[in-house]
Every structure is written in C-alpha cells, then in structure tokens.
C-alpha cells in the first residue's frame, strides 16, 4: 500500500475511506480525476449521502505536458505539503486545509474547494472579486514576512532554506521563464502572427541583460519561502473567499517573484480584454478594475508588510533608519521585473495562458499577444529604475493607447 | 572510540597510530596541543625518527573564548572537512591535504604545515610574500567561480547550498561583525582611548543603513561556497607557498565577503604600521607593499575569474552581453563593503587582531585604531557607489595623510 504507484480512481476511493472522521463507514463514495495540471493526479472524492468531499492529490513521477520523458522527483509532494502547512499556520483562511500527507505515495489529502472557481476562469468570464486584493495582499505579506529573516529566527530560517531546496522544480522555472523565451528554443510555441515581435525579443540585448540579472536573483536570493507559481490558475476564488493552492514550486527566493506572478497574470488578462470585452467602454472599465486591483494589492501588501515589520520584527538591525524603505524599494523593483518575465514567457513560451489562447478572434488574439509582450518587455527593462507601483500601471496604460 | 569526547594528547597520539601508511609501527610519536583558536583542539603529532608529522584537529562542543557557556555544534567539523575537500579539488596546492575525517569524533587529520607561518604573524614581522597575491587570487577565483551558478550545474549547486547550511557559525558572524560593533553591546571591547570615535560609530545612521544592507546580503545571497573566515590568521604562508586553512565558517554567501576578509586584514596591518614600522620611510614603503598586494589580488582575481567564466561557463545566459561586467561590479561593491565591515569589528568588537593589539606604544596603537576605523567606515559608506578598486586604495591612502 505504501510503495509508490499512481492511483486509479478506485484506489483513490479505497484510500479515502481509511482517513478517520471524514466519511460515514460503508457509505457510497464517488471519485473523478479532475487534474488539469501537468504534474499530478487530482481526485475529487465525495460522499453522496452527506455531500462531504475531499481532494486527493498525487504527484506523478514525470511531467504530463511532455510525456513520461521528463521525469520529476516525487519530493515535490513533500515540498507542497510542507509549504501548505506553513502557509496554513500563517493565513489559515487563505489555503486549503491538509488532512493527510503520505510521503511514500506522494499523496496529499486536502480540503475540497469545488465551490470555488479557478481565478483565471473567473477573470476570463469577466467576474470581479472585491475581496481578492485584500486577501492576496495578506497572503503575500504574511507568508513572505514570516518566512524571511525579518519575521523569523535567522538560524531557524536557514534550516527552512535547507528544507525547501527544490532543484527540479526551480529548473523548470529557470528554463521556461528566464531562458527559452529569449532565444529560438525548441520548447517555445511561437504564434506565427507575431513572429516579428518574438524575433525582436530574441535580438534585444538590453532585455537579455535584465533577464540575466533577474534570473541571477532567482538563483541566489534566498529571501522568503515563496509559493513559486502564484498565477491565477493557482488561486481558487469566490466573491467571499480566496484560496491559494499548489505550492509545489515552493523554495527560498526573492519576494518579488510571487508578487510579480499575481501581477503578470492580471496583466495577461488585461491584454486579453482585446477579445473578451464586448466594446471599448466595457474593455476600459474591466481594465480599470484589473489595474485598480494591482494597485490595491501592492498598497495593501506594502502596508501590511511594513506593519508586521514594525510590530513583530524582532531583529535589532531591521529597525535601522532607512532600511525598511530601501528594502521595500528592492521588493518593488523585483516585483516589476518578475511581472515582466512572467508575462513574456506566457506569450510564446512552452506553457501559455487561456486568457489569450482561448480568444477565437485571431486579430484580437494577436493584439493581445503584442500588448502582453509590450508590457512585459517594458517592465523588465524598467525594473531596476522603478520608484513606484504607478510606473507599472503607466506602462500598462500606455501599451493599450 | 567513536563516541565524541575531547581528546587528550595521549589519545591523539593513539589515534594517529591507527592511520595507515603514515607512521612507522611502534615508533615514538610526540604530540603538542597548539590550538590558538577559540573553537578547536589542534594536536601536532610527529615521529621523531623520520620527522613525519600531521595535524589532528578536533572541534570542541563550545567556544573557548567565552567558556563552555557558548555551545557550538560539532557539525562544523563536517563542514570544515567537506569544504576543505572541495577546495582541495579546485586548488590542491593552496589548502592542506585531508587524510581522514571522522564524523563522530568531529575530527580531521590533515597535512602538517609547521614549515609555514601564520600570515598575520609574518606581516607583523614585516615580511613580504611575493607569491601571495597570485596564490590567493587563484584560490578566490577558483573556489568562488566553481561553486557558483556560473561554474557548476545549477541544480547540483542547490544541493551544495543544502550541504553547507551553517546556522551556528553564521550566527557568530552576524552578531560579531554586523551587529555588536554598531551599538553599545556587552561583547565589545572598546579601547578607552578611542571611546569618542566608537561613540561616533554608534551614532552614525548612514553607516548603520549600509551595514544593515550588507548584513542582508550576508543572510540571503547564496552566491558561492565561501571560506567564511578568510583573515590572515587563516592563511599559512612561506615565500613559496600559501595554504588556506580552517574553513569551518563555510556557507553559501556573497563572494565579496571572502575577498573583503583578505583585504580587511591587509588593511588592519596597514593601519598598524603606525607602530611596527621603524620610521616614516619604511612605513610608507611597507604600506605601499600592502596596497600593491590588494591591487594585485583584485586584478588577478578579476582576470582569472573572468577567464574561467569565458572559458568554462556552461550557462547560456551567462554569456549575455554586459552581464559579466555587471556581475563583477557587484562583486567589487560587496568586496569594498565587507572589507570595511571586517575592519571595524576588529577595532572594538569581541575578537580583535594582534596587528593592532600587540602594539606596545599606546599612542601608536591609538593612531592605528583610528586609521582602521576611518578606513573601515569610509569603505562601508562608499560600497554601493564603487566603480573601481582604486577607490578603496585612495580611501586607505587618505586615511594616513
């Protein structure tokens, strides 16, 4: 039972029955495999009589996107589970509850969030989530502060760095975000209509230098325990609730990488409004909502992070005059740089986004791709000079003028 | 035999006999405990009949400098041994050979370097080491390049980061270098004659901000496997040979921290020439030698590091135009900042240096302390603006005008 093998639906049901206090003994359980990711099986198991349900997530020893030829360590299931448990301790309402983690099976049993929708889908449908900004800002502020040298014992933090060394998943990011999109790599999926713009990206030496510097920081800057893949497909949402899922890319890296992932995916949807909005007025309106959300997330994140720092920072030197301002400026700059990096790779890299790719009008799709590329490259080039989040918003506004 | 206990000299001899192919069976061996550090027993064991000898180094479970009340993990013996073995693989002639490492006893048996002198002592005696600059530059270039993301597989490097997580020894650095010297901490040993200058350090907010930023990088920037304590007391030297010893502070940190340690200790001796030189002419002459050595070390280090990068950098993005220049500038800036940090702490912190403290003329000692402080604080304040190593040299020259 505890030797690793990929579960069938029947086995998933059988396993779910063994978890204490979850289902009525002997009752009928149903299972569906609902994974749409690339790396895991995800079983939704529910009890017909009560409606109780859980998610049983099992890591696969390879990446589905490229077949079994890309083997992946099952250790990522440990990392995901341990990261979730830390996140739950810091913001219990913003992540799914973990019932069981079974290492040998690379298996995590967690709270079912079927009453939520994937945020990417919600945004594509044009929905608005009035509590999202404050939820995700709190998630970012608490998880990034309390896992950094500012918010935890600095010696324990070093043990955490060790716990979350995550070479294989980091390698995916290093290749697909920071390398392949900037040259004619086999993994790219270049949309033919924008071949000219992609070739310009491949030629742009100023851009390449900034990407190399951003990658250097991704490789070496062990600042906080990151989620590591915080796009809108890793967020379950309703009008009232926000749940961040799937931290299998968790590792110690620069805070701006997580914040930038959120902003990049809001801006990809912003670009995609070329096709999703029915007219210019609703397009401008929804884009205003998205930019307002980014501004709110940054403002709330920064405020909350600074409050935590001032109230709970135990470290004498962190109270040094000017240090907090210097630090937050670095986080802003990283955020802007990684926002750009995470946009560019979604236009013509291996893994793209439904916001743009599901557009049926080819002209609108092409405009969306060009806008995303324009914003992404401008943010990357601007990152080391940035002074304010408003500069990010201005770049986004200018790109659709 | 393999349960940890601190060795007596007799036990050290008994242990040395068990190492194959080292001593003649049954011959007479003598042992002396020669440790002058704070953290270890060091036995020198030699065979009278042949003159063969070895060093047997055993970690103590506490720091001697403050008695048994400061317990320290024996894991640092593992770190030291494993770091030595990596360094030996990269520059075999520049570190002592390790014969045996016995984990349970926190024991390392290594090459005896009694024919060398501790470089700090050699400099105090006014000796010059014409090969030192090229030796230490090669040590720095090879150990820092080949353990970084530039010179090794980036996924294996992450496993190395994990292997060298070193919380307890890093804590000593974090406190004694970056924290205590900048406020009225109990651990400080403030020389009464320069109380005014030390109080100015405690009040200097511009300085404190730079120190907080340098410490942040020490805490988070996992760039290369550092020696971690590369002062002139960790270097054995002759006219022909240089051997770097004692890497128990090894961890993944910013390259400039190791380079800065070398420069700081040359500059502490430079300051101490107030007392060691017999007249103004010989003082200027020896100081010129020390500054010339710093310049040579940087120039040779930088040249060799760039050559390794260009010849052996396997990473596509590291070839990005402008990236190498940007990277070397960061290393220079870190080097200048850490040089300053490592000088200031030696003036009035817990652990000081013989270069200054052994001066018998109190007026000369005071001048040396003030010069060291002037150079150290100026370097710290200048670090983020630095463009060239010449700026460091100018600061040193100006401080004695």
């Amino acid at each position: 039972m505890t030797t690793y093998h990929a579960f069938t639906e029947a086995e998933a049901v059988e396993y779910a029955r063994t978890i204490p206090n979850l289902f009525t003994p002997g009752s009928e359980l149903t299972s569906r495999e609902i994974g749409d990711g690339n790396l895991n099986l995800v079983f939704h198991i529910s009890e017909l009589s009560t409606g109780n349900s859980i998610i049983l997530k099992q890591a696969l020893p390879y990446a589905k996107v490229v077949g079994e030829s890309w083997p992946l360590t099952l250790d990522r299931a440990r990392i995901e589970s341990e990261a979730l448990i830390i996140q739950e301790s810091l913001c219990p309402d913003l992540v799914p509850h973990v019932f069981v983690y079974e290492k040998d099976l690379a298996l995590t049993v967690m709270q079912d969030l079927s009453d939520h929708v994937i945020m990417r889908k919600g945004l594509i449908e044009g929905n608005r989530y009035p509590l999202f900004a404050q939820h995700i800002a709190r998630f970012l502020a608490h998880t990034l502060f309390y896992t950094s040298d500012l918010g935890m014992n600095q010696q324990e933090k070093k043990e955490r760095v060790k716990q979350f060394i995550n070479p294989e998943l980091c390698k995916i990011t290093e290749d697909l975000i920071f390398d392949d999109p900037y040259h004619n790599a086999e993994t790219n999926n270049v949309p033919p209509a924008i071949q000219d713009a992609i070739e310009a990206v491949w030629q742009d030496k100023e851009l390449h230098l900034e990407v190399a510097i951003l990658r250097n920081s991704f490789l070496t800057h062990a600042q906080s325990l990151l989620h590591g893949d915080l796009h809108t497909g890793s967020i379950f949402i309703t009008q009232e609730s926000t749940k961040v899922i799937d931290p299998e890319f968790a590792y110690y890296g620069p805070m701006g990488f997580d914040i930038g992932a959120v902003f990049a995916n809001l801006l990809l949807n912003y670009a995609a409004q070329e096709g999703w909005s029915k007219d210019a007025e609703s397009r401008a309106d929804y884009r205003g909502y998205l930019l307002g959300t980014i501004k709110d997330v940054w403002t709330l994140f920064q405020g909350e992070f600074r409050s935590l720092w001032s109230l709970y920072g135990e470290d004498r030197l962190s109270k040094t005059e000017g240090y907090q301002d210097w630090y937050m400026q670095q986080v802003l700059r990283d955020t802007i740089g990684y926002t750009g990096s995470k946009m560019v790779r979604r236009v013509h890299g291996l893994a793209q986004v439904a916001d743009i790719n599901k557009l049926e009008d080819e002209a609108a799709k092409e405009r969306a791709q060009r806008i995303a590329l324009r914003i992404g490259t401008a943010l990357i080039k601007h990152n080391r000079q940035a002074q304010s989040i408003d500069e990010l918003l201005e770049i986004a506004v200018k790109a659709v003028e």
Side-chain angles (χ1 to χ4, degrees), chain A:
Chain A
M1 185 72 185
T2 56
T3 307
Y4 180 83
H5 62 285
F7 271 17
T8 61
E9 297 207 333
E11 286 172 307
V13 167
E14 190 185 341
Y15 186 87
R17 285 194 195 282
T18 68
I19 299 164
N21 307 319
L22 209 57
F23 298 118
T24 318
S27 72
E28 190 180 345
L29 300 183
T30 61
S31 168
R32 284 178 300 137
E33 208 282 291
I34 57 167
D36 65 349
N38 307 319
L39 315 166
N40 304 288
L41 294 171
V42 182
F43 298 99
H44 177 266
I45 298 172
S46 61
E47 184 173 44
L48 293 175
S49 57
T50 60
N52 289 345
S53 57
I54 50 133
I55 292 294
L56 193 150
K57 180 172 176 178
Q58 187 180 36
L60 290 168
Y62 51 82
K64 272 200 286 192
V65 67
V66 285
E68 301 204 17
S69 59
W70 193 344
L72 278 175
T73 172
L74 297 173
D75 189 50
R76 70 187 196 278
R78 175 191 67 76
I79 285 178
E80 174 171 354
S81 237
E82 293 179 3
L84 262 179
I85 288 162
I86 290 170
Q87 290 162 353
E88 189 174 1
S89 75
L90 298 171
C91 17
D93 57 322
L94 300 177
V95 292
H97 174 62
V98 174
F99 293 103
V100 178
Y101 162 58
E102 182 134 6
K103 186 170 180 294
D104 294 334
L105 289 168
L107 188 75
T108 307
V109 181
M110 67 185 97
Q111 183 183 359
D112 175 27
L113 299 169
S114 307
D115 55 334
H116 292 59
V117 297
I118 288 290
M119 188 177 181
R120 189 182 305 286
K121 187 161 172 286
L123 293 179
I124 288 173
E125 290 169 0
N127 297 315
R128 301 183 190 211
Y129 300 99
L131 298 180
F132 171 70
Q134 70 183 67
H135 284 161
I136 203 74
R138 178 156 55 85
F139 176 84
L140 291 166
H142 284 249
T143 60
L144 299 178
F145 176 79
Y146 280 114
T147 62
S148 77
D149 285 299
L150 298 165
M152 71 182 291
N153 176 287
Q154 295 168 345
Q155 275 39 63
E156 287 167 22
K157 180 236 174 184
K158 293 172 176 67
E159 298 294 346
R160 281 270 179 89
V161 172
K162 191 199 263 185
Q163 180 184 354
F164 288 99
I165 293 286
N166 196 354
E168 287 197 28
L169 282 278
C170 284
K171 172 74 172 156
I172 296 174
T173 302
E174 289 156 21
D175 290 348
L176 297 188
I177 297 185
F178 296 111
D179 190 347
D180 296 351
Y182 301 95
H183 69 129
N184 189 5
E186 273 189 22
T187 55
N188 290 330
N189 291 314
V190 178
I194 59 163
Q195 180 80 30
D196 62 311
I198 302 308
E199 285 182 3
V201 165
W202 293 343
Q203 302 302 327
D204 189 337
K205 293 186 174 179
E206 182 194 348
L207 185 72
H208 297 179
L209 175 59
E210 295 302 326
V211 171
I213 293 171
L214 286 163
R215 191 191 60 144
N216 179 60
S217 187
F218 183 86
L219 287 168
T220 62
H221 192 199
Q223 189 173 29
S224 286
L225 179 61
L226 304 187
H227 178 283
D229 193 30
L230 194 46
H231 56 79
T232 46
S234 296
I235 299 169
F236 265 123
I237 200 157
T238 69
Q239 291 299 305
E240 298 81 28
S241 167
T242 305
K243 302 275 189 186
V244 175
I245 63 168
D246 291 356
E248 61 198 344
F249 282 77
Y251 89 111
Y252 262 81
M255 298 182 184
F257 190 78
D258 267 5
I259 311 168
V262 174
F263 291 177
N265 283 273
L266 294 175
L267 288 172
L268 288 162
N269 187 275
Y270 172 96
Q273 292 308 316
E274 288 301 309
W276 297 113
S277 294
K278 65 178 192 311
D279 56 36
E281 194 183 342
S282 66
R283 178 175 304 125
D285 191 50
Y286 199 72
R287 282 181 169 158
Y289 158 70
L290 292 168
L291 293 190
T293 301
I294 289 174
K295 171 99 183 190
D296 288 349
V297 171
W298 178 259
T299 306
L300 292 166
F301 161 75
Q302 198 192 198
E304 191 138 358
F305 193 93
R306 284 177 182 267
S307 294
L308 293 173
W309 185 327
S310 303
L311 288 168
Y312 304 112
E314 287 174 21
D315 174 22
R316 199 190 68 80
L317 266 89
S318 76
K319 312 289 187 193
T320 304
E321 197 175 309
Y323 183 56
Q324 192 178 106
D325 289 340
W326 171 84
Y327 196 101
M328 297 314 292
Q329 188 179 67
Q330 303 307 310
V331 174
L332 174 72
R333 290 175 175 182
D334 286 353
T335 296
I336 288 177
Y338 291 120
T339 300
S341 319
K342 294 200 147 221
M343 292 185 74
V344 170
R345 61 84 57 122
R346 294 296 193 185
V347 175
H348 63 285
L350 177 68
Q352 303 182 359
V353 289
D355 310 62
I356 291 176
N357 284 20
K358 287 212 169 157
L359 290 175
E360 289 180 359
D361 176 342
E362 288 298 329
K365 186 193 280 189
E366 180 184 335
R367 286 198 306 278
Q369 287 164 333
R370 289 184 187 274
I371 289 167
L373 217 49
R374 206 175 301 145
I375 298 173
T377 55
L379 291 175
I380 291 171
K381 289 185 186 181
H382 185 64
N383 83 92
R384 287 193 290 156
Q385 282 84 54
Q387 303 283 343
S388 153
I389 194 68
D390 293 335
E391 295 156 27
L392 177 150
L393 305 177
E394 283 158 25
I395 284 169
V397 168
K398 241 175 113 175
V400 298
E401 271 172 7

